[in-house]
Amino acid sequence: MFQRKIYDRLLKWKKTSNGKTALLIEGPRRVGKSTIVAEFAENEYESFIIVDFYTASPEIKALFDDLSDLNYIFLQLQLTYQVSLHERKSCIVFDEVQLCPKARQAIKALVKDGRYDYIETGSLISIRKNVKDILIPSEEKKIHMYPMDYEEFRWALGDYVSVPMQKQLYESGKPLGQAAFRKCFRDFRLYMLVGGMPQAVETYIATNDLSQVDDVKRDILTLYEDDFRKIDPTGKISAIFDAIPAQLMGNASRYQVSGVLTDSRAGDILEQLSELSDSGTVLVSYHANDPAPGLAQNKDLSRFKLFTADTGLFVTLAFKDKSFTENDIYTRLLNDKLPANLGYIYENVVAQTLAANGHELYYHTFPNRKTRHNFEVDFLIAEKNKISPIEVKSSGYKSHPSIDAFSEKFSSEIMREILLYTKDYKKDGVLECMPVMWAQFL
């Protein structure tokens, strides 16, 4: 069982809510929702019941069709699960609650009753068929669970030192030093390959074998594909997801829908894109038409990029048509010999890291008057009442025309300029050049 940062958010909810809200933890399949909730319920309550709607009987699901007698519902739950519930000292968990929409709707009455705390977990929570004909309770507090971040990955490997040490250097604006940088960057590249899905991390720790880790990731991708087919039998969602690596490799300024779905444009797939985003398996970065504070007010829904929520899965997805032995990206990335055309893997891990830190994802393009190509800033994040442009480079760093041109054009809106790259920390004028693993501190 791995230490996860979301545990502290659960503690905060329990303390501040005091039974006034239920907690809904949503996120992609296999991200560790059920595990962390079970650990939390066991540690923080005198007793608890976990109702897993994936395995629950029809009789248990039917309990939530009629809420007129809550005493009867609680009695049946205690008898079925052989657990005694204690007022204000027990918790009831609705695991995979999307499989029993009536139980989710019942949260309103259950919270009002006030006897127990309630935690829900689910994937595909907002998919249309899972909310059809029910009233979504306003008493839900939602939090999203992401794959393990880099620090959690290091914790799993028994390392509680390197990330705090790097954070001290980040805050003081000092480099790691050649030897320390080499080790820390090698460790980070390993994280990019394994990823943050707990099952993949567990397999790596148990076997030290990346081929077995790759098998686990392929199984997770197969699970996602099965979900996509259930959501959308036409196959559009599956096609959009599978094409993410190729779209990023194409270095276009947006996801080219017409290149994936014939005769389709971005405006034609807004529903599929929303459902794909709701699945938690992808991260959507929208074009900010006006790169100024209040980025959400200026996003262009028809211009976007897609990333996978886990970079380890991204690596496997990019080469899923090949066997592990044919996929030399593992060796290349571990040895820091990644070809320039695979630099989008670094872009994906930055997207994953920024999202886990609570940033919505935006980028910006604008014309280069000297060439036919556009300038492009990979990410924009809000800091205080300004924005900070971020450029991600996987190779040379001496030339950074996009961020230079952006900073000149929007100088009054900028907090700081950031280049994330594969070298140690340095300043280049006002530009802060940071190791890519320092994205976790932004």
Side-chain angles (χ1 to χ4, degrees), residues 155-266:
W155 289 346
L157 298 180
D159 173 16
Y160 293 85
V161 175
S162 63
V163 171
M165 178 268 293
Q166 291 181 64
K167 188 172 184 180
Q168 288 181 20
L169 293 171
Y170 160 79
E171 291 173 344
S172 61
K174 296 179 180 178
L176 283 155
Q178 190 174 15
F181 169 78
R182 281 201 303 269
K183 182 186 185 309
C184 291
F185 188 41
R186 184 173 65 246
D187 291 343
F188 187 74
R189 296 197 304 271
L190 175 64
Y191 168 67
M192 292 170 66
L193 292 174
V194 175
M197 303 304 283
Q199 190 178 358
V201 176
E202 184 178 37
T203 301
Y204 172 73
I205 292 171
T207 67
N208 194 39
D209 184 346
L210 289 174
S211 68
Q212 293 194 44
V213 173
D214 194 69
D215 285 341
V216 168
K217 292 188 292 175
R218 287 172 187 265
D219 289 344
I220 294 173
L221 288 172
T222 300
L223 183 70
Y224 289 173
E225 296 284 1
D226 290 343
D227 285 342
F228 297 153
R229 281 191 288 271
K230 292 173 186 175
I231 299 169
D232 175 31
T234 69
K236 288 183 178 180
I237 289 179
S238 295
I240 294 168
F241 181 79
D242 286 346
I244 290 175
Q247 286 282 318
L248 289 175
M249 188 186 293
N251 203 30
S253 61
R254 69 178 80 179
Y255 190 102
Q256 301 287 343
V257 176
S258 60
V260 179
L261 303 173
T262 306
D263 298 326
S264 294
R265 297 292 183 269

Side-chain angles (χ1 to χ4, degrees), residues 24-25 33-34 37 94-98 119-123:
L24 171 61
I25 303 176
K33 301 183 296 295
S34 301
V37 168
F94 292 161
D95 198 18
E96 302 291 357
V97 72
Q98 78 278 1
I119 302 176
E120 307 163 88
T121 77
S123 306

Side-chain angles (χ1 to χ4, degrees), residues 392-413:
V392 182
K393 280 189 172 288
S394 60
S395 53
Y397 63 92
K398 292 183 179 179
S399 174
H400 31 76
S402 290
I403 201 166
D404 291 343
F406 181 90
S407 299
E408 182 179 350
K409 184 175 182 180
F410 301 102
S411 58
S412 63
E413 306 290 355

